[in-house]
Amino acid sequence: MPPISGEKNLRRRLKILADAFLPSSRALDYQAVLRMATKHFKTFTGADASVLMLNNHEFLTPAFSIGIPLSTIKGVSLPSSTKPKEILIHPPMDVRYASFLNIPLVHNRKLIGLSTVFSAIPERFHPFEQDKDEGSLLDMLAGYVAASIENATLANTIKAIERFKRDWENIFDSIDDLISIQDTSFTIVRANMAVARKFDVDIREIIGKKCFKVFHGTDVPPEVCPCCKSVETKTKYTMDSEEPHTKGIFNVTTFPLFDDGGKFVGTIRVARDVTEH
């Protein structure tokens, strides 16, 4: 049976593992996850200071610290391509402590970051390096923390994308020009509110219809069609057009639309009412 002090230590570490597992299984506030992760490693190892470094795809850089002012290590970086053996044996920053331990944070074979703990006691972290059971528990903590950070990063990215999408939609719908996006078969896949207001219909009645039907009131593209020109040439095309169906004279510009791979996927049509001019 392990001594009482050993049992107490084990219970404390299992409690930390349980606390670390909960945020790893759900998305939490990004900064809260970083703070908890840094604290977990400091408490788990009995360290005097703990620094959490995150991988930005090029470098590992400090993101949170306890016991060491983050401002003093902000300029520290470690190439994320550094070999694991090199990461383990060299301290990533020049701080005055008697011993240190680097713990790589890996999730799905991806290096998420690095936790470095420091102690004023020489050889303070030898048990984690030499004792298989102690090392296994620390590896388990590192796995939970890496999953937590990955989940929080993903949630943070999704929130940023959603905010960008809302901002983009607000800007898109606030423009007075009639803007629509068509696929290669001239079907409208997106239109701003100016189009709906122009025809006094719900925007959902515009989506899915052919652009020539909406803007020209015809069953086929007109003889001179700016969208057709952009489809044919894959370039920008501009023309002034008197539109009886839309009751006015419009300056119409169409742009070819390409996906990330460079494939042509449709056109963007921008029509400005210049009747008064």
Side-chain angles (χ1 to χ4, degrees):
M1 178 179 292
I4 298 300
S5 60
E7 287 184 352
K8 184 177 179 181
N9 226 14
L10 179 59
R11 285 198 298 269
R12 178 175 60 83
R13 287 175 180 160
L14 290 176
K15 172 66 167 57
I16 294 171
L17 285 173
D19 291 343
F21 173 74
L22 291 176
S24 73
S25 60
R26 63 180 189 274
L28 294 178
D29 175 73
Y30 185 68
Q31 287 300 319
V33 168
L34 300 187
R35 181 175 59 254
M36 283 190 296
T38 310
K39 181 181 178 182
H40 284 329
F41 281 111
K42 180 179 181 296
T43 306
F44 193 90
T45 60
D48 297 310
S50 176
V51 176
L52 182 67
M53 303 179 73
L54 295 183
N55 187 359
N56 64 8
H57 304 298
E58 291 186 42
F59 296 96
L60 291 163
T61 55
F64 208 93
S65 66
I66 298 175
I68 298 174
L70 189 61
S71 59
T72 64
I73 55 175
K74 269 293 187 180
V76 172
S77 65
L78 182 69
S80 54
S81 59
T82 305
K83 295 180 180 179
K85 287 184 179 180
E86 292 295 315
I87 290 179
L88 292 174
I89 63 176
H90 293 296
M93 59 202 75
D94 184 19
V95 295
R96 295 183 178 180
Y97 282 96
S99 58
F100 77 94
L101 178 65
N102 289 336
I103 308 117
L105 308 178
V106 179
H107 181 64
N108 290 335
R109 298 183 180 181
K110 174 185 175 184
L111 180 64
I112 305 300
L114 177 71
S115 175
T116 301
V117 289
F118 301 91
S119 175
I121 303 172
E123 302 181 356
R124 177 68 182 84
F125 307 114
H126 275 201
F128 298 102
E129 298 172 322
Q130 299 173 357
D131 187 292
K132 184 178 179 180
D133 293 334
E134 295 277 11
S136 295
L137 290 175
L138 186 59
D139 288 343
M140 196 179 298
L141 175 62
Y144 290 162
V145 167
S148 295
I149 294 173
E150 186 76 340
N151 288 346
T153 301
L154 179 60
N156 212 39
T157 302
I158 291 173
K159 287 179 182 178
I161 292 172
E162 289 175 344
R163 284 196 299 271
F164 176 80
K165 182 174 179 289
R166 285 195 299 270
D167 291 344
W168 183 87
E169 288 175 341
N170 289 335
I171 294 171
F172 187 64
D173 285 332
S174 68
I175 297 173
D176 291 331
D177 295 345
L178 279 60
I179 305 175
S180 61
I181 302 173
Q182 295 73 221
D183 63 17
T184 54
S185 64
F186 306 106
T187 301
I188 297 175
V189 295
R190 186 76 192 236
N192 69 344
M193 293 304 296
V195 177
R197 289 193 297 269
K198 181 65 181 178
F199 298 103
D200 193 25
V201 296
D202 189 290
I203 192 67
R204 289 172 292 188
E205 294 183 40
I206 301 294
I207 307 304
K209 289 189 176 180
K210 300 295 184 182
C211 60
F212 46 80
K213 184 72 174 179
V214 172
F215 296 111
H216 304 289
T218 59
D219 294 326
V220 294
E223 185 176 348
V224 181
C225 171
C227 280
C228 292
K229 292 290 185 181
S230 284
V231 169
E232 291 169 6
T233 64
K234 308 296 187 295
T235 59
K236 170 185 170 183
Y237 184 82
T238 300
M239 63 175 285
D240 286 331
S241 173
E242 185 171 0
E243 300 283 354
H245 185 67
T246 49
K247 301 175 183 178
I249 300 172
F250 289 83
N251 176 259
V252 183
T253 301
T254 54
F255 304 85
L257 185 62
F258 302 92
D259 64 14
D260 292 340
K263 179 183 176 182
F264 176 72
V265 293
T267 57
I268 301 173
R269 182 185 192 276
V270 181
R272 174 165 295 181
D273 191 336
V274 293
T275 307
E276 292 184 6
H277 298 292

